[in-house]
Amino acid sequence: MGRSQNSFMKKKRADQKRKRKEEKFQKRLEKKNQETSSKLEDMMAYVDEDGNITTVPPEERERLAREKAAKEKAAREKEIREQMEEQKRSR
């Protein structure tokens, strides 16, 4: 006669439990070995005008917006100058 199903299921369950425990241990080791930053700047979060959470401080966001606007303005002025030069050439 063969073994009963109970002992087979017990072994299977024990193997699954052992595997889960080992995987959990490996995850714990990986998390422990990860580099972490304890700097306050890395932990800070800011809320923008729309209520979204962001890592960029408001001062830097304003500076980036000004730079972007300046670049767009310079591109428009360049385009206008090129059009004016083209008009002068065609006369």
Side-chain angles (χ1 to χ4, degrees):
M1 290 225 136
R3 293 183 179 178
S4 70
Q5 283 290 341
N6 281 341
S7 59
F8 174 75
M9 292 303 289
K10 283 181 184 179
K11 285 183 179 181
K12 191 173 182 180
R13 216 174 297 126
D15 285 342
Q16 288 174 344
K17 186 176 181 180
R18 184 184 47 79
K19 281 183 182 179
R20 276 186 301 218
K21 197 171 189 176
E22 189 172 319
E23 287 173 2
K24 190 175 181 180
F25 178 73
Q26 290 297 329
K27 285 181 184 178
R28 196 175 332 132
L29 282 179
E30 287 175 12
K31 191 171 184 179
K32 185 178 180 181
N33 293 334
Q34 281 182 343
E35 289 186 31
T36 57
S37 176
S38 299
K39 295 180 183 177
L40 180 63
E41 292 83 26
D42 294 338
M43 292 186 248
M44 294 294 285
Y46 304 94
V47 179
D48 64 3
E49 301 84 31
D50 301 324
N52 299 322
I53 297 174
T54 180
T55 58
V56 181
E59 300 85 25
E60 188 174 338
R61 203 171 329 128
E62 291 170 3
R63 182 182 57 81
L64 293 173
R66 282 193 306 265
E67 288 177 0
K68 183 178 178 184
K71 286 180 183 178
E72 289 174 355
K73 184 178 178 183
R76 282 188 301 237
E77 289 175 354
K78 182 179 178 183
E79 187 177 315
I80 291 171
R81 271 188 255 124
E82 288 175 353
Q83 289 176 353
M84 291 175 71
E85 289 176 10
E86 192 175 306
Q87 289 175 354
K88 286 181 183 178
R89 285 187 215 143
S90 63
R91 288 184 189 177

